[in-house]
Amino acid sequence: MAFELTKEKQELVKEVITHYPDPRSAILPAMHIVMDERGWVGDDGCQHVAELLEVPIIYVYEALSFYTYFPKHPVGKYHIQVCHNIACNLRGSEELIEHLVNKHGIIENALTDDGLFYFNRVECLGACGNAPVMQVNDEYYEDLTLEEVDKLIEGFKKSSGNGKNN
Amino acid sequence: MALEKIVFKGIDIPGNTDLKVYEEHGGYEQWKKILKDKITPEEVIEIVKKSGLRGRGGAGFPTGLKWSFVPQNTKKEKYLLCNCDESEPGTFKDREIIEKSPHQLIEGMLIAAYAFQGGVSYIYFRGEFVKGWKICEAALAQAREAGYIGENILGSGWNHQVWTHRGAGAYICGEETALINSMEGKRGEPRIKPPFPAVEGFYKSPTIVNNVETLTAVPKILENGPEWYHQWGTERSTGTKLWSCCGHISNPGVYEVPMGYSMKKFFEEELGGVWKDRALKAVIPGGSSTPAMTPEEFFACKMDYESIAEHGSMLGSGGMIVMDDQTCLVEVAEVLAQFYHHESCGQCTPCREGTGWVHRIIQDIERGQAQPDVKNVLFTVFDEIFGNTICPLGDSIVMPIKSLMDKWPEEFDYYIKEGKSKITGKARRPKKKEMPDNWRREKPFNYPKTEDYYTDFSKTAHSN
Ligand SMILES: Cc1cc2nc3c(=O)[nH]c(=O)nc-3n(C[C@H](O)[C@H](O)[C@H](O)COP(=O)(O)O)c2cc1C
Ligand code: SF4
Ligand code: FES
């Protein structure tokens, strides 16, 4: 099944194209709009973007394969990205990652069985003063402790109706 | 806390993301004055040149001089790109500005673009800064509404448009020519210079790339004059600098510090010294690409470009990373190596292959499986990378790691010889072994299924 943005979002893409001297510049903005809609981009997202911008699809693939921010497959309801760079490392990101794996069974680069979580490491998120930091979907969570991570994960499970307490 | 913010006072004003609040504090006055009093672009450049403002993105190039390189005898559109890619580990100062004082940045951009007669500007955000991007979008909408941006601004006949653009998780796009490629929708690969962007940049048009902090300082310099900016710092490093400080300190955060301020005083009074009453071991002063300093070097230096260079490092982007005496520096080296390995764009062989070599060799040290002469191999690889690449990312892996190996050789020697860390007493990685026959998990991980995201293009119109 081919992916399509809603009419409204398609208009938004058309509007964004006018900001630039050439439609090719709108590739990243358009992919961000696709990401907003379904959380990942993927092949059919590329195809749709290429059609909207009227650029060869290879241009879009080229970008997708370079920029790590766009997932190429579904990443669950909560996409957890933990910074493992230097400042976060100094303040305990490794323990945090171990905790996610060992206590919560959220394994790196894999969907959890319930399809809720997908977790991967990322490079510096530009919030080193509040290390350790993780990003869940669009939100930053800073100055994390293991207890806070527990609370967050429980909260996510509850709000999606899959938690044990439900 | 003794140090008050000066140029970046706006960061501490509550509600300063709103146009009204910013205007109450003298916002957009300089922009109005330029248009109303018909101050010429040359005069603006002259003021900025006199102030001695240097680029805060890392390279420290004089800002006024850069603007004056833009050729004026061309019909092409000229562009200003504001660099908010901020991905250098240890650096988080631009985020403060865009989230708390976006209008000062916008005013700075309008003035800068006017100075070299650029008609369109873009702010390039790193993709992860969703919050800052939304705040800036709202601020831009307000400024458009108020007539500071757009056609015939405030009746002066001058047109200027400002757009935002979001990157997507590539550190290398902070490099100015990679940023331009990324803005063109291409892979973020740096270009060979010359031609410099000021002459041939965005779609082959004259383009100025400036850091957020550089541009945000401009309105204040125009307001108070270049002499005012000169009251701080030294002959060659004038004004103030934002420092983002993190790691093992009591008070991490963003501080505005006059150039030439005593590092020791700053460290003790503002940062509150090393956390948990531990001793200081090493400091990377200017973002992860700069060489590490020993405590002696660190405490002896002053906070300006030249003094830090004299004491064995670089000011860079002002991202200070502090490490206490319980830090294993081999681990630090591994984390940095993996970062540069991951972020190399892959165009130049020395960088693409060299970063991988360095990363894998340090991992071998961490397994206790390194060859005895491994340090020589590393130094040879460093030599092969350094200065042999298109952009400075190659140098960036060499500088911090080589400095760690030069200044704390005993830690590396111990790890290589004993197969474990001198600090933690353990090897960080398990030894590589032969895979046992049953190495597959019984139940495979729940990877996303291919058919969930694979499109069968043979069934679409594009396949013939
Ligand atoms: C690998 C690499 C990454 C960089 N990242 C950034 C960045 O994130 N932000 C930035 O402002 N400058 C960055 N720079 C510096 C830019 O190339 C450029 O010098 C700067 O944006 C110019 O602005 P300025 O003159 O105001 O400093 C980077 C340079 C390199 C080589
Ligand atoms: S030095 Fe590295 S990052 Fe820079 S252009 Fe070469 S391969 Fe790309
Ligand atoms: S190192 Fe983790 S946010 Fe910068």
Side-chain angles (χ1 to χ4, degrees):
Chain A
M1 248 210 326
F3 169 81
E4 268 200 12
L5 287 167
T6 58
K7 277 276 158 320
E8 215 174 289
K9 292 271 171 70
Q10 292 191 16
E11 287 308 311
L12 188 61
V13 173
K14 292 261 149 61
E15 204 268 323
V16 167
I17 294 175
T18 64
H19 297 182
Y20 303 98
D22 189 295
R24 188 167 180 181
S25 281
I27 291 179
L28 292 192
M31 285 212 268
H32 275 293
I33 293 170
V34 173
M35 261 255 311
D36 265 357
E37 186 141 317
R38 68 162 173 185
W40 57 285
V41 179
D43 286 357
D44 48 353
C46 272
Q47 172 123 14
H48 187 51
V49 168
E51 278 161 11
L52 283 178
L53 305 187
E54 298 176 32
V55 297
I57 188 166
I58 186 65
Y59 288 5
V60 188
Y61 269 132
E62 224 177 68
L64 182 74
S65 62
F66 186 84
Y67 297 97
T68 52
Y69 189 71
F70 303 116
K72 291 144 195 80
H73 48 69
V75 284
K77 190 157 176 207
Y78 299 100
H79 185 193
I80 303 176
Q81 314 203 57
V82 182
C83 168
H84 69 159
N85 213 298
I86 181 73
C88 293
N89 176 285
L90 293 174
R91 282 186 171 244
S93 63
E94 287 305 314
E95 287 94 80
L96 205 150
I97 289 171
E98 263 168 42
H99 187 74
L100 275 179
V101 176
N102 295 340
K103 166 127 194 246
H104 295 283
I106 302 179
I107 289 153
E108 235 179 299
N109 301 329
L111 266 179
T112 51
D113 287 340
D114 52 13
L116 272 189
F117 300 106
Y118 185 94
F119 148 57
N120 57 265
R121 296 162 179 253
V122 280
E123 302 305 340
C124 178
L125 288 168
C128 329
N130 302 331
V133 186
M134 72 181 189
Q135 183 181 13
V136 181
N137 300 344
D138 279 350
E139 291 281 327
Y140 275 25
Y141 297 88
E142 304 174 38
D143 294 313
L144 290 169
T145 59
L146 299 188
E147 294 79 59
E148 266 167 65
V149 172
D150 291 346
K151 259 192 242 151
L152 277 174
I153 301 281
E154 285 311 315
F156 290 146
K157 282 187 180 162
K158 242 192 223 160
S159 61
S160 62
N162 274 359
K164 291 189 199 88
N165 308 342
N166 239 326
Chain B
M1 268 181 229
L3 283 179
E4 294 256 333
K5 292 207 173 61
I6 309 160
V7 176
F8 301 97
K9 207 161 49 192
I11 292 177
D12 290 338
I13 298 173
N16 202 21
T17 51
D18 189 52
L19 180 65
K20 276 226 180 60
V21 179
Y22 182 61
E23 282 177 332
E24 275 163 25
H25 290 85
Y28 290 108
E29 283 304 323
Q30 298 311 310
W31 182 225
K32 283 193 238 169
K33 194 169 134 205
I34 287 176
L35 294 179
K36 215 188 287 143
D37 299 356
K38 304 218 167 20
I39 299 179
T40 64
E42 292 78 26
E43 281 173 281
V44 177
I45 292 188
E46 204 46 44
I47 294 172
V48 174
K49 265 192 190 163
K50 273 209 194 116
S51 75
L53 176 66
R54 291 168 67 178
R56 303 296 195 223
F61 193 81
T63 306
L65 188 63
K66 195 189 224 175
W67 296 350
S68 68
F69 290 156
V70 174
Q72 293 300 334
N73 56 351
T74 164
K75 287 219 175 58
K76 287 181 188 164
E77 183 67 280
K78 307 179 197 80
Y79 296 97
L80 171 67
L81 308 183
C82 169
N83 190 342
C84 186
D85 191 56
E86 185 152 82
S87 323
E88 171 105 342
T91 313
F92 48 99
K93 63 190 173 68
D94 298 344
R95 180 179 177 224
E96 277 301 278
I97 296 175
I98 56 165
E99 287 187 4
K100 294 181 181 157
S101 189
H103 283 291
Q104 195 177 335
L105 168 64
I106 296 168
E107 187 176 2
M109 289 176 66
L110 290 167
I111 297 171
Y114 173 80
F116 65 86
Q117 297 287 292
V120 184
S121 47
Y122 299 90
I123 316 178
Y124 185 101
F125 295 93
R126 60 174 300 176
E128 292 82 355
F129 281 173
V130 184
K131 185 173 162 203
W133 167 67
K134 284 188 180 151
I135 290 173
C136 284
E137 277 283 354
L140 281 171
Q142 280 185 325
R144 268 184 216 121
E145 180 90 353
Y148 296 130
I149 306 175
E151 306 272 303
N152 189 14
I153 300 169
L154 307 172
S156 65
W158 174 246
N159 307 324
H160 191 81
Q161 203 40 271
V162 184
W163 304 113
T164 63
H165 187 94
R166 291 175 67 202
Y171 164 67
I172 190 59
C173 291
E175 200 281 334
E176 51 187 3
T177 53
L179 186 137
I180 290 171
N181 270 341
S182 178
M183 287 269 326
E184 292 181 7
K186 300 180 184 151
R187 299 163 73 91
E189 289 168 347
R191 300 175 178 174
I192 294 173
K193 297 189 256 189
F196 288 93
V199 180
E200 207 178 292
F202 188 48
Y203 289 109
K204 294 207 154 60
S205 294
T207 305
I208 290 291
V209 183
N210 269 140
N211 176 252
V212 171
E213 187 188 341
T214 317
L215 292 167
T216 308
V218 171
K220 288 285 170 200
I221 292 175
L222 262 78
E223 183 182 334
N224 300 299
E227 292 77 26
W228 172 81
Y229 202 65
H230 257 286
Q231 67 178 289
W232 301 286
T234 59
E235 188 56 34
R236 293 192 51 217
S237 307
T238 56
T240 64
K241 170 89 188 81
L242 283 183
W243 286 80
S244 53
C245 307
C246 61
H248 296 151
I249 42 176
S250 307
N251 312 318
V254 177
Y255 298 83
E256 182 176 355
V257 188
M259 288 284 182
Y261 200 77
S262 156
M263 187 67 95
K264 190 165 169 37
K265 190 162 172 219
F266 173 70
F267 188 73
E268 283 163 5
E269 288 175 10
E270 309 293 325
L271 302 185
V274 184
W275 74 341
K276 300 181 181 170
D277 286 325
R278 292 185 192 159
L280 181 66
K281 181 170 198 174
V283 181
I284 295 181
S288 68
S289 306
T290 59
M293 298 169 101
T294 62
E296 297 76 47
E297 289 172 329
F298 180 69
F299 287 129
C301 79
K302 297 217 160 28
M303 303 174 80
D304 58 67
Y305 290 99
E306 287 76 29
S307 179
I308 296 180
E310 272 164 32
H311 291 89
S313 189
M314 284 151 71
L315 190 146
S317 59
M320 187 190 293
I321 307 164
V322 178
M323 291 163 254
D324 70 14
D325 57 354
Q326 299 189 16
T327 314
C328 173
L329 294 180
V330 179
E331 181 171 341
V332 170
E334 194 275 336
V335 172
L336 294 178
Q338 95 82 32
F339 171 69
Y340 290 105
H341 182 204
H342 182 259
E343 298 296 336
S344 167
C345 83
Q347 276 189 108
C348 335
T349 312
C351 170
R352 179 185 65 241
E353 302 301 324
T355 49
W357 274 62
V358 175
H359 181 204
R360 286 187 296 270
I361 290 175
I362 299 179
Q363 285 196 330
D364 277 348
I365 300 180
E366 286 193 328
R367 293 191 181 97
Q369 286 174 316
Q371 304 293 324
D373 66 340
V374 71
K375 274 174 86 176
N376 289 336
V377 182
L378 275 177
F379 283 124
T380 316
V381 177
F382 291 157
D383 275 352
E384 296 290 335
I385 302 175
F386 200 85
N388 292 332
T389 54
I390 296 176
C391 88
L393 188 136
D395 304 350
S396 301
I397 186 173
V398 176
M399 285 190 289
I401 297 182
K402 187 159 180 288
S403 73
L404 290 173
M405 292 173 64
D406 282 340
K407 295 177 186 173
W408 290 268
E410 71 289 350
E411 261 190 53
F412 286 82
D413 293 338
Y414 186 93
Y415 220 134
I416 294 165
K417 189 148 167 275
E418 306 289 332
K420 60 184 183 189
S421 164
K422 196 173 172 194
I423 308 298
T424 63
K426 285 183 290 205
R428 183 158 168 248
R429 279 166 206 283
K431 285 204 175 357
K432 257 193 230 160
K433 357 178 219 236
E434 295 286 307
M435 285 292 188
D437 286 345
N438 60 345
W439 64 276
R440 276 180 198 281
R441 273 169 52 114
E442 269 164 29
K443 179 167 168 283
F445 298 142
N446 184 9
Y447 290 108
K449 288 189 206 68
T450 320
E451 58 265 30
D452 284 350
Y453 59 90
Y454 178 72
T455 312
D456 188 355
F457 286 117
S458 64
K459 299 202 181 83
T460 65
H462 270 247
S463 58
N464 46 17

